[in-house]
């Protein structure tokens, strides 16, 4: 009898963990459970459409299902279809790797105005997540609040011309939305000084490839720290780049005080170096972090866990990825974490042959599996439009219907 392990969340951290567990113990039964009918989570719905190189990590994850024997159970939402207690009782160990999918709120006056949009909301809509809302009108002068990679991702996407998306999986709806926008200026505001901005220098260097922008900023300060020097050099090289129609202005060391406007956003009031000022804006995009959607009661679980347990939340219950650490770290960094978590789980694993394992999904009529995902993948790639590598199916119902026709030639 081999051990049975459930991983809630089939995104990068969950897939890397399954990969690590099965490498150390090939006889394990490792099941990845996801609220969506499709696997790969953030890689499919969070990584920018024009970063197909990053998305290619799904080929590695596919081998975990196709060669190592991991199983996928999709369209299973914890709290709706099964409780965490039911899953935990059915498996020898359960790992929560569900990520953090909600935007952290902007806690300043005016932060709830209708034209304040969280980056997760926009990213889901650009990636055609089944639960995404309609892409909004950002107006001519959006302001992006944040200076991490997500903020730079959105800046780059908003500034690209249609030809610069060739080869991507950007869908027809987002393509038309981007082509129709009338953006004239984008101000990207960071609380930190430039040297301590959270973006990777490579993300800033990529902006120099854009044809449609004209970049300005105050010349960044100096630093003797090697990592900070890399960021400052990337910004120095970017400053003044381009003569395009979209003016991009970087601001650093700015503290947001309030969103200006009565019924709609007119600006962002900030504390600059010596005084307050108002940066004019037609909308505000926040890229200030993510939080749990609450389904798995993350805050309570993390608070109850001992701080030095390496992701262990309780007996036979563990955490991984952003669910464990909070919203920091890149997809490749999840791999090292997964190896540590896998070693901890296996060192504590006690096998109980009476546990039900995957039979708990048998009564869920719309539960999808990996063969169903392969059918979806074939259909999406087969219906891709010129200049695109796939056209995503955008509704949960259609995804489930296609998954049920697995093995058929559609």
């Amino acid at each position: 009898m081999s051990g049975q392990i459930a991983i809630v969340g089939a995104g990068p951290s969950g897939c890397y963990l399954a990969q690590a567990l099965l490498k150390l113990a090939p006889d394990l039964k490792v099941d990845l459970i996801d609220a969506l009918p499709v696997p790969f989570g953030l890689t499919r719905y969070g990584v920018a459409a024009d970063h197909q190189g990053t998305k290619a990590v799904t080929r590695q994850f596919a081998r975990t299902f196709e060669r190592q024997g991991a199983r996928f159970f999709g369209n299973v939402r914890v709290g709706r279809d099964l409780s965490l207690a039911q899953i935990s009782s059915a498996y020898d160990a359960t790992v929560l790797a569900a990520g953090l999918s909600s935007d952290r709120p902007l806690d300043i006056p005016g932060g709830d105005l209708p034209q304040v949009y969280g980056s997760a909301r926009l990213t889901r809509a650009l990636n055609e997540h089944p639960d995404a809302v309609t892409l909004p009108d950002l107006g001519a002068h959006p302001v992006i609040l944040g200076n991490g990679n997500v903020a730079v991702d959105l800046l780059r996407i908003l500034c690209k011309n249609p030809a610069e998306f060739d080869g991507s999986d950007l869908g027809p709806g987002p393509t038309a939305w981007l082509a129709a926008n009338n953006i004239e200026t984008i101000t990207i505001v960071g609380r930190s000084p430039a040297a301590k901005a959270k973006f990777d220098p490579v993300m800033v260097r990529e902006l120099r490839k854009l044809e449609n922008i004209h970049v300005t900023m105050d010349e960044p300060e100096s630093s003797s720290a090697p990592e900070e020097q890399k960021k400052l050099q990337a910004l120095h090289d970017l400053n003044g780049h381009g003569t395009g129609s979209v003016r991009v202005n970087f601001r650093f060391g700015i503290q947001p005080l309030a969103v200006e406007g009565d019924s709609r956003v007119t600006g962002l009031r900030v504390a600059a170096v010596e005084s307050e000022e108002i940066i004019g804006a037609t909308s505000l995009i926040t890229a200030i972090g993510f939080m749990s959607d609450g389904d798995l009661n993350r805050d309570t679980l993390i608070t109850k866990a001992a701080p030095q347990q390496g992701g262990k939340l309780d007996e036979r219950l563990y955490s991984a990825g952003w669910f464990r650490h909070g919203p920091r770290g890149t997809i490749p960094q999840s791999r090292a974490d997964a190896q540590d978590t896998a070693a901890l789980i296996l060192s504590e694993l006690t096998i109980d042959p009476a546990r039900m394992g995957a039979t708990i999904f048998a009564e869920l009529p719309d539960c999808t599996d990996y063969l169903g995902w392969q059918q979806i993948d074939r259909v999406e790639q087969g219906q891709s439009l010129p200049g695109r590598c796939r056209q995503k199916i955008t509704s949960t119902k259609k995804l489930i219907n296609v998954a049920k026709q697995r093995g058929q030639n559609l």
Side-chain angles (χ1 to χ4, degrees):
M1 178 69 186
S2 61
Q4 302 183 92
I5 296 177
I7 301 173
V8 179
S13 60
C15 287
Y16 273 133
L17 179 59
Q19 184 184 72
L21 285 165
L22 289 165
K23 185 175 181 179
L24 292 169
D27 291 337
L28 281 176
K29 291 181 178 176
V30 177
D31 297 336
L32 290 109
I33 303 160
D34 205 286
L36 292 169
V38 294
F40 308 141
L42 182 70
T43 310
R44 178 176 165 94
Y45 291 119
V47 173
D50 60 336
H51 275 182
Q52 290 302 312
T54 304
K55 289 176 181 255
V57 73
T58 57
R59 289 199 288 270
Q60 182 183 152
F61 298 154
R63 291 196 289 273
T64 304
F65 295 102
E66 296 166 12
R67 298 182 187 177
Q68 291 183 280
R71 297 181 296 185
F72 174 67
F73 296 90
N75 196 39
V76 179
R77 183 176 291 279
V78 179
R80 180 193 67 185
D81 303 305
L82 293 169
S83 69
L84 179 57
Q86 286 176 293
I87 294 171
S88 184
S89 66
Y91 285 87
D92 297 311
T94 300
V95 186
L96 304 181
L100 303 173
S101 59
S102 296
D103 286 297
R104 192 160 68 85
L106 179 60
D107 191 20
I108 59 175
D112 57 352
L113 280 171
Q115 295 79 34
V116 178
Y117 307 109
S119 58
R121 170 183 169 174
L122 281 183
T123 301
R124 279 198 298 273
L126 287 165
N127 276 294
E128 300 181 298
H129 188 291
D131 299 332
V133 297
T134 304
L135 283 160
D137 179 5
L138 299 176
H141 308 290
V143 169
I144 298 175
L145 180 59
N147 58 13
N149 288 340
V150 173
V152 179
D153 256 343
L154 286 169
L155 171 65
R156 187 186 68 255
I157 294 289
L158 292 174
C159 291
K160 279 197 167 184
N161 63 47
E164 290 173 311
F165 288 102
D166 278 354
S168 76
D169 63 358
L170 191 74
T175 299
W177 179 80
L178 288 168
N181 81 45
N182 59 349
I183 292 176
E184 298 174 10
T185 68
I186 299 178
T187 306
I188 181 165
V189 175
R191 292 182 172 92
S192 306
K196 297 188 181 301
K198 295 180 176 63
F199 57 73
D200 293 327
V202 66
M203 294 286 287
V204 172
R205 287 196 290 270
E206 187 177 349
L207 296 175
R208 298 185 66 200
K209 300 176 183 177
L210 301 185
E211 299 177 353
N212 199 33
I213 62 174
H214 175 202
V215 180
T216 59
M217 69 184 82
D218 291 336
E219 189 61 28
E221 72 279 9
S222 61
S223 171
S224 58
E227 291 304 314
E228 294 182 357
Q229 286 178 337
K230 292 177 185 176
K231 293 178 185 179
L232 295 174
Q233 186 63 50
L235 288 168
H236 172 80
D237 294 343
L238 179 65
N239 194 7
H241 167 76
T243 57
S245 60
V246 179
R247 287 171 290 146
V248 174
N249 182 224
F250 281 80
R251 302 288 303 274
F252 296 100
I254 300 290
Q255 299 302 313
L257 300 175
V259 182
E260 296 290 313
D262 294 323
S263 60
R264 60 177 306 113
V265 171
T266 58
L268 178 66
R269 183 154 54 90
V270 300
V273 177
E274 296 181 348
S275 62
E276 291 186 11
E277 67 173 291
I278 294 176
I279 299 172
T282 51
S283 60
L284 181 66
I285 303 169
T286 64
I288 55 175
F290 305 98
M291 53 189 282
S292 171
D293 62 8
D295 281 354
L296 290 169
N297 208 1
R298 176 180 181 267
D299 291 345
T300 300
L301 290 167
I302 294 291
T303 301
K304 288 172 60 178
Q308 303 299 326
Q309 296 194 70
K312 184 175 180 179
L313 297 172
D314 205 341
E315 292 303 313
R316 302 189 298 106
L317 183 64
Y318 303 84
S319 59
W322 279 14
F323 196 94
R324 171 184 170 186
H325 295 293
R328 62 179 185 274
T330 63
I331 289 177
Q333 288 170 338
S334 297
R335 186 176 185 180
D337 284 347
Q339 291 166 349
D340 294 339
T341 306
L344 174 64
I345 292 170
L346 293 177
S347 71
E348 299 182 339
L349 190 66
T350 299
I351 299 172
D352 182 351
R355 297 197 188 281
M356 295 175 63
T359 58
I360 62 171
F361 306 115
E363 301 300 319
L364 302 178
D366 289 331
C367 180
T368 58
D369 59 14
Y370 190 75
L371 288 175
W373 154 246
Q374 289 180 308
Q375 181 78 343
I376 292 168
D377 191 33
R378 282 192 292 272
V379 170
E380 289 186 340
Q381 292 191 54
Q383 67 186 14
S384 62
L385 299 172
R388 297 292 183 267
C389 61
R390 76 168 60 234
Q391 183 172 334
K392 289 177 187 168
I393 298 167
T394 59
S395 84
T396 298
K397 183 178 180 180
K398 288 180 180 177
L399 286 166
I400 293 169
N401 288 340
V402 172
K404 287 181 176 178
Q405 299 171 55
R406 63 189 196 184
Q408 297 182 30
N409 294 319
L410 299 179

